[in-house]
């Protein structure tokens, strides 16, 4: 991948100073030879200053590194850990393993880091981990995250059925693992494990782990999973019990009935992250979210059982939706349109200024909505308006002052932004897919300012297949303009070449929780580099 491209993960670059030149002329006058170049007065360097101090030796446990406070030492050792593990059976965390042999003090600090976040890409690794914490139960109490988002049998020469027959990772062994990790705070699961997430495992997650704060069931949709989930949640119906889960991921869990949400969501009083994209959640279930919750991330993309009116009512009146940072309301207009013109007019003025990412793909956005979108561009970093009925002039108006727009009745839409001094846009990412006015030729036209340096910090424009295919063939023009085409899975982006522009742009933001790319479609529930199946649903699909 070309370095310096904004739409990429950060690359580590190691630099070192150049060696000092060796002077062959011993009679040359240099400061190092004992001459002051400003007045040519000879001086004799101090022999004491030139003496090299012999290396110091320390008794075990007495070195400066070992005597650091435990909290600082843990932070230093944690820098050697990597979030996204190598694939296959390649050695992992080699640096941490080496630290285990350094000293007793470093060994203890390394164990804390090594077992704090457990990533399991294959069943054999899970078996080794389970065997180890079964033999040494104290290690299980260190585990804070169990990450199975990378888990797969692909590439190992085994089918899913063959993988289950090995009995390394089953519902029984998964339950045993959770029993041995009582202090666990984050559990990341996914569709390759949905047959192993039975009622006992779910009961343990909901009721048996008091410190659990985040759980993700990404794309789990098998019939056994749906039945087990429904049965486990049914136990809450007649119970006043509340759960401590704050970040819940049910992305693409489309087989779960709405009754699950109506029972579960009111019992999450500390909820901050909710991803129910492509599920059967309804308006009533959404409204049942506890008023004490404080949502920062909400993903309702491609939910066909909710209505535009119900969603807007929730977002404008519910106390839990007052401080949103990430909001996805996208829809597939070939099947269902969530937001119509009236819904858009009600929603846009009511959105909080805390919002950084807004996805309105598929909403019925018309020309007269452009002035309502304009104030949002002053604090949003991501904006998705795919399939919007906007002209190139409307989109240009996000980045330069323009005349106010009028509604179909001829009345000028007044917004506060139009009476204030011009404030530059904060947009880094703009999804313009399926907008008829946005084509390869219109982007290159003199009337389009999107590709000019004046639209900075805009660095990523997502486009449809037809536009991306046309731009891919314009290599010389792309190079001249300082933009490149990037593709991944089903998606394509036109990306500003920050290296050519003389900058080094980082896509890292705190609200992305470790993700580096722009335009994520899956809500993260745990901080870390994105990979495995989560990366597929977040950026490829």
């Amino acid at each position: 991948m070309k370095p310096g491209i904004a739409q990429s993960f950060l690359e580590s670059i190691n630099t070192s100073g150049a060696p000092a030149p060796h002077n062959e002329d011993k009679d040359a006058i240099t400061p190092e030879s004992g001459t002051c170049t400003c007045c040519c007065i000879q001086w004799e360097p101090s022999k004491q200053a030139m003496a090299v101090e012999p290396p110091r030796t320390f008794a075990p446990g007495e070195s400066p590194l070992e005597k650091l406070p435990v909290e600082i030492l843990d932070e230093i050792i944690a820098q050697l850990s990597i979030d996204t593990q190598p694939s296959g059976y390649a050695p992992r965390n080699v640096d941490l393993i080496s630290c285990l042999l350094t000293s007793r003090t470093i060994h203890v600090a390394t164990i804390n880091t090594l077992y704090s976040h457990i990533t399991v890409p294959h069943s054999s690794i899970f078996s080794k981990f389970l065997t180890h914490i079964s033999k040494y139960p104290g290690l299980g109490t260190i585990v804070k995250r169990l990450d199975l988002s990378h888990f797969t049998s692909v590439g190992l020469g085994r089918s899913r059925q063959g993988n289950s027959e090995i009995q390394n990772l089953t519902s029984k062994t998964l339950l045993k693992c959770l029993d041995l990790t009582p202090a666990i705070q984050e559990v990341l699961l996914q569709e390759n494990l949905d047959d192993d997430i039975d009622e006992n495992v779910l009961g343990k997650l909901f009721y048996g782990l008091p410190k659990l704060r985040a759980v993700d069931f990404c794309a789990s949709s098998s019939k056994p999973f749906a039945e087990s989930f429904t049965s486990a949640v049914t136990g809450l119906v007649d119970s006043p019990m509340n759960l401590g889960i704050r970040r819940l991921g049910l992305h693409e869990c489309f087989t779960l009935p709405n009754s699950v949400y109506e029972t579960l969501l009111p019992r999450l009083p500390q909820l901050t992250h909710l991803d129910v994209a492509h599920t059967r959640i309804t308006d009533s279930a959404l409204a049942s979210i506890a008023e004490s919750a404080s949502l920062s991330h909400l993903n309702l993309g491609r939910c066909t059982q909710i209505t535009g009116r119900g969603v807007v009512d929730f977002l404008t009146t519910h106390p839990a939706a007052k401080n949103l940072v990430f909001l996805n309301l996208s829809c597939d207009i070939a099947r269902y349109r969530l937001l119509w013109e009236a819904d858009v007019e009600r929603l846009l003025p009511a959105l909080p200024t805390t919002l950084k990412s807004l996805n309105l793909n598929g909403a019925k956005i018309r020309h007269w909505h452009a002035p309502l979108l304009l104030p949002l561009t002053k604090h949003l970093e991501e904006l998705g308006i795919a399939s919007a009925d906007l002209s190139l002039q409307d989109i240009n108006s996000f980045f330069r002052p323009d005349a106010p727009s009028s509604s179909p009745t001829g009345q000028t839409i007044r917004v506060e932004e139009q009476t204030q001094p011009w404030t530059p846009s904060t947009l880094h990412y703009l999804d313009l897919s399926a907008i008829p006015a946005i084509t390869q030729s219109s982007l290159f036209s003199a009337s389009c300012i999107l590709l000019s340096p004046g639209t900075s910090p805009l660095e990523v424009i997502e486009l449809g297949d037809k536009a991306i295919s046309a731009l891919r063939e314009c290599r010389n023009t792309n190079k001249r303009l300082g933009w490149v085409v990037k593709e991944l899975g089903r998606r394509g982006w036109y990306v500003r070449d920050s290296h050519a522009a003389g900058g080094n742009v980082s896509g890292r933001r705190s609200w992305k929780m470790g993700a580096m790319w722009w335009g994520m479609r899956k809500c993260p529930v745990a901080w870390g580099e994105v990979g495995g199946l989560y990366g597929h649903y977040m950026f490829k699909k």
Side-chain angles (χ1 to χ4, degrees), residues 136-457:
Y136 305 102
L139 296 177
T141 62
I142 302 174
V143 178
K144 299 296 186 295
R145 177 190 298 173
L146 179 62
D147 185 355
L148 293 161
S149 64
H150 300 263
F151 183 85
T152 181
S153 59
V154 175
L156 301 180
R158 296 197 298 264
S159 65
R160 184 172 181 178
Q161 180 179 355
N163 198 52
S164 63
E165 292 173 354
I166 298 176
Q167 298 293 300
N168 281 338
L169 203 165
T170 65
S171 57
K172 292 182 179 179
T173 56
L174 183 55
L175 178 61
K176 182 179 180 182
C177 177
L178 295 176
D179 287 334
L180 293 171
T181 53
I184 198 165
Q185 297 177 6
E186 301 169 340
V187 178
L188 308 181
L189 306 169
Q190 38 101 345
E191 62 179 334
N192 290 325
L193 298 164
D194 54 4
D195 288 341
D196 299 313
I197 307 174
D198 64 7
E199 186 176 350
N200 292 326
V201 171
L202 291 164
K204 183 67 177 179
L205 290 170
F206 291 148
Y207 315 120
L209 297 171
K211 294 187 178 181
L212 185 66
R213 295 295 177 264
V215 61
D216 201 327
F217 299 97
C218 180
S220 298
S221 57
S222 69
K223 183 177 180 181
F225 169 78
E227 293 174 348
S228 298
F229 202 102
T230 303
S231 179
V233 171
T234 302
L236 290 171
V237 172
D238 299 321
S239 171
M241 177 182 180
N242 286 329
L243 306 181
I245 297 174
R246 299 178 182 176
R247 303 183 296 277
L248 177 62
L250 293 168
H251 190 94
E252 297 265 1
C253 296
F254 54 84
T255 57
L256 295 179
N258 178 62
S259 59
V260 164
Y261 304 103
E262 292 183 340
T263 303
L264 182 60
L265 295 181
R267 290 166 174 80
L268 301 174
Q270 302 178 71
L271 190 64
T272 60
H273 294 59
L274 178 63
D275 189 339
V276 287
H278 195 196
T279 64
R280 294 159 64 181
I281 190 171
T282 63
D283 293 343
S284 59
L286 190 62
S288 71
I289 292 177
E291 293 188 359
S292 59
S294 181
L295 292 174
S296 62
H297 292 63
L298 177 61
N299 191 350
L300 298 173
R302 296 186 298 132
C303 291
T304 59
Q305 303 300 312
I306 55 177
T307 65
R309 180 176 180 178
V311 169
V312 175
D313 286 343
F314 172 80
L315 293 173
T316 56
T317 63
H318 200 288
K322 299 301 182 183
N323 297 298
L324 284 169
V325 176
F326 173 92
L327 177 61
N328 187 343
L329 300 176
S330 63
C331 65
D332 180 2
I333 59 174
R335 300 179 57 198
Y336 177 76
R337 191 186 295 275
L338 177 61
L339 299 174
W340 293 87
E341 292 98 328
D343 301 320
V344 173
E345 289 193 23
R346 286 183 58 208
L347 175 65
L348 294 181
L351 290 172
T353 57
T354 55
L355 208 58
K356 296 297 182 182
S357 177
L358 175 63
N359 191 335
L360 297 175
N361 290 348
K364 195 64 174 178
I365 299 175
R366 306 296 293 272
H367 167 69
W368 57 87
H369 293 137
L372 298 177
L373 286 168
L374 184 58
L376 300 178
T377 64
K378 311 309 179 186
H379 57 83
L380 285 176
E381 293 185 291
E382 292 183 342
L383 176 60
I385 50 175
S387 302
D389 185 13
L390 294 176
S391 66
L392 183 59
Q393 181 183 359
D394 294 328
I395 298 172
N396 282 341
S397 70
F398 298 160
F399 303 96
R400 71 179 181 192
D402 209 343
S405 300
S406 299
S407 68
T409 61
Q411 295 179 342
T412 299
I413 298 179
R414 299 182 181 276
V415 291
E416 184 180 357
E417 186 68 27
Q418 293 173 349
T419 63
Q420 294 180 350
W422 177 257
T423 303
S425 166
T426 58
L427 290 175
H428 288 257
Y429 163 90
L430 193 57
D431 189 346
L432 303 178
S433 307
I435 296 181
I438 303 300
T439 62
Q440 174 262 323
S441 57
S442 67
L443 286 172
F444 289 169
S445 67
S447 59
C448 178
I449 66 169
L450 295 178
L451 308 184
S452 67
T455 61
S456 181

Side-chain angles (χ1 to χ4, degrees), residues 45-61:
S46 172
K47 295 183 179 180
Q48 183 177 2
M50 297 176 61
V52 178
E53 184 178 353
R56 299 175 61 188
T57 59
F58 301 93

